[in-house]
Amino acid sequence: MVDLVSQYEKIKPAVLPLIEDIMSKAQFINGPEVSAFKNELQDYLGVKHVIPCANGTDALQISLMSLGLKPGDEVITPSFTYIATTEVIALLGLKPIFVEVDPKTFCIDPKALANALTSKTKAIVPVHLYGQSADMESIMNFAKANNLFVVEDNAQAIGSEYIFRSGKKQKTGTIGDIGCTSFFPSKNLGCFGDGGAICTNNDELAEKLKMIANHGQSKKYHHDVVGCNSRLDNLQAGVLRIKLRKLDDYIAARRRAAVAYDNAFQGNPNIDIPYRASNSTHAFHQYTLKLNGVSRDGLNKHLTDKGIPSMIYYPIPAHKQKMFAHFDLECDLPVTDELTHQVISLPMHTELEEDQLNFITEEVKAYINLD
Ligand SMILES: *Cc1c(COP(=O)(O)O)cnc(C)c1O
């Protein structure tokens, strides 16, 4: 699905001296690379504060911890997402309220928000799934009207831009009160282990987020709130600085691969190619097809037989996971349920060559015409 080895080969001349330098100085935690990366990511995103942390799941957890919510408060989120988005809500004693996604963008359907609203609703966690922004303008308008926080799960879309009706563009993850991202190796900006970051334009929240990520510490040995230990390693930050400079090129390479896939599948009645929302650019963390009247298992098996990986993101929606059974949620999410049976993701990364893309598209088409 990804080719991190070939990508590494190209940045190796920059990475190896960096590792050597960090090792020889034994600057492993809170080193200079972390603060430099923090500043460079702030500039890239156009956001006031970046708080690096240990991974994307921690970023979401720390964000929700900073909002002063009470046990039982409700957080609206899609069910069609990676489990981390929804798990942290329950972990903190909050109640996830799963809402439907848009059948074209696979992101939260803003029309579903009103029905999910109760007197206990405190926040919305939209997910920019597969690399394309949720409809942030509608979500922010709804949130403002109902006094809700918005925490964006930007783990899959770093580098994407949301386009407001006014024409104004803003990077995903910087529009809500807080944005969260992950530097898991396979993400669009991935490090060589775990990493994550939180961003916000709100000074007060930034202070809280920093404190919570560092044992609730306001000054050395003064712990004002219960926090956690969530740090980005100096080494990972150094790697991320090298890769951040290339992020736009990496995204461009993903977009080129997506266009090649699109051209091969366009007009095929059995395949819906990824929808391009007019209000967002697409960072193509995943290239995901929606199949109509084709056996997904059959296609998956055919591709596996030809040595082509394919993945289902995600086969079981959050509202059907056992971990949430005790909430006794009444969920009627037909679009989500249907998508979990229809979607299939093809290899998507920065190193896809034309012959690889041709091979993959020919084999997909060979199966679909057979099926
Ligand atoms: C990867 C991912 C996360 C979690 O990130 P980690 O760094 O693995 O903890 C959260 N949400 C979404 C949508 C993701 O894709």
Side-chain angles (χ1 to χ4, degrees):
M1 292 298 286
V2 295
D3 181 0
L4 295 172
V5 175
S6 307
Q7 193 193 57
Y8 170 62
E9 286 301 323
K10 295 182 185 163
I11 55 170
K12 196 171 171 176
V15 170
L16 286 182
L18 168 89
I19 294 178
E20 166 60 25
D21 183 56
I22 292 173
M23 294 292 161
S24 64
K25 293 177 186 154
Q27 287 171 330
F28 302 120
I29 304 285
N30 295 337
E33 299 293 329
V34 179
S35 47
F37 172 63
K38 168 192 144 70
N39 290 331
E40 288 162 11
L41 187 60
Q42 281 169 190
D43 289 346
Y44 176 84
L45 292 172
V47 75
K48 233 168 139 184
H49 307 278
V50 162
I51 297 101
C53 65
N55 56 67
T57 309
D58 275 9
L60 288 159
Q61 180 187 322
I62 294 163
S63 298
L64 290 175
M65 285 170 80
S66 75
L67 301 178
L69 308 186
K70 294 186 305 301
D73 281 348
E74 295 178 358
V75 179
I76 297 175
T77 188
S79 174
F80 192 58
T81 179
Y82 181 55
I83 197 66
T85 318
T86 56
E87 183 185 32
V88 295
I89 298 170
L91 181 76
L92 295 173
L94 306 167
K95 187 174 179 186
I97 302 295
F98 298 118
V99 295
E100 194 59 291
V101 289
D102 180 286
K104 291 207 285 252
T105 65
F106 312 144
C107 295
I108 268 194
D109 183 351
K111 293 192 296 298
L113 295 173
N115 267 339
L117 189 72
T118 73
S119 57
K120 290 189 169 173
T121 312
K122 293 289 152 57
I124 307 172
V125 182
V127 181
H128 306 310
L129 201 72
Y130 303 151
Q132 190 164 241
S133 182
D135 179 355
M136 285 307 291
E137 191 156 10
S138 304
I139 293 167
M140 293 310 291
N141 287 342
F142 183 86
K144 278 193 194 111
N146 296 286
N147 209 10
L148 308 176
F149 291 107
V150 175
V151 176
E152 298 173 71
D153 183 341
N154 195 31
Q156 301 190 358
I158 190 165
S160 277
E161 283 181 318
Y162 181 77
I163 305 152
F164 288 81
R165 275 163 224 144
S166 65
K168 183 179 83 158
K169 291 182 179 179
Q170 207 172 329
K171 287 262 170 32
T172 55
T174 69
I175 301 162
D177 298 281
I178 305 177
C180 301
T181 201
S182 162
F183 306 124
F184 185 79
S186 64
K187 297 283 154 87
N188 285 19
L189 178 61
C191 57
F192 295 169
D194 274 309
I198 309 166
C199 57
T200 183
N201 284 308
N202 181 318
D203 300 340
E204 215 175 297
L205 280 177
E207 280 314 307
K208 279 193 199 162
L209 291 163
K210 247 183 274 176
M211 233 162 74
I212 293 168
N214 183 25
H215 300 291
Q217 179 169 285
S218 54
K219 59 181 188 199
K220 191 118 180 121
Y221 299 127
H222 292 252
H223 304 276
D224 298 2
V225 292
V226 173
C228 51
N229 171 25
S230 190
R231 294 183 285 237
L232 181 70
D233 291 351
N234 199 42
L235 213 119
Q236 301 301 348
V239 170
L240 286 165
R241 289 184 70 199
I242 294 169
K243 291 181 74 170
L244 179 60
R245 286 174 214 133
K246 296 185 164 291
L247 180 56
D248 285 339
D249 291 340
Y250 286 157
I251 292 172
R254 288 173 178 272
R255 286 187 184 137
R256 279 195 298 276
V259 167
Y261 280 141
D262 280 355
N263 289 340
F265 303 136
Q266 202 126 37
N268 189 315
N270 299 110
I271 302 180
D272 286 353
I273 60 173
Y275 176 75
R276 311 302 176 84
S278 58
N279 59 7
S280 175
T281 61
H282 204 318
F284 282 103
H285 176 58
Q286 299 297 344
Y287 185 89
T288 304
L289 298 172
K290 204 162 98 176
L291 302 177
N292 311 299
V294 183
S295 159
R296 185 173 66 177
D297 289 346
L299 175 59
N300 174 272
K301 182 174 182 312
H302 175 82
L303 294 177
T304 306
D305 289 346
K306 301 288 174 183
I308 301 169
S310 62
M311 291 289 283
I312 312 303
Y313 303 115
Y314 296 92
I316 307 171
H319 72 280
K320 294 197 170 158
Q321 298 288 353
K322 278 190 203 158
M323 68 156 75
F324 300 123
H326 63 285
F327 284 113
D328 253 334
L329 298 164
E330 279 170 40
C331 289
D332 181 28
L333 305 173
V335 174
T336 295
D337 289 336
E338 197 180 22
L339 286 175
T340 57
H341 291 106
Q342 285 183 314
V343 292
I344 185 164
S345 301
L346 298 179
M348 174 50 79
H349 53 82
T350 57
E351 313 300 315
L352 279 164
E353 305 279 355
E354 199 179 328
D355 55 335
Q356 293 175 309
L357 287 161
N358 284 338
F359 180 59
I360 297 166
T361 55
E362 285 313 310
E363 288 304 334
V364 171
K365 287 198 282 191
Y367 179 78
I368 303 254
N369 294 336
L370 264 182
D371 192 65

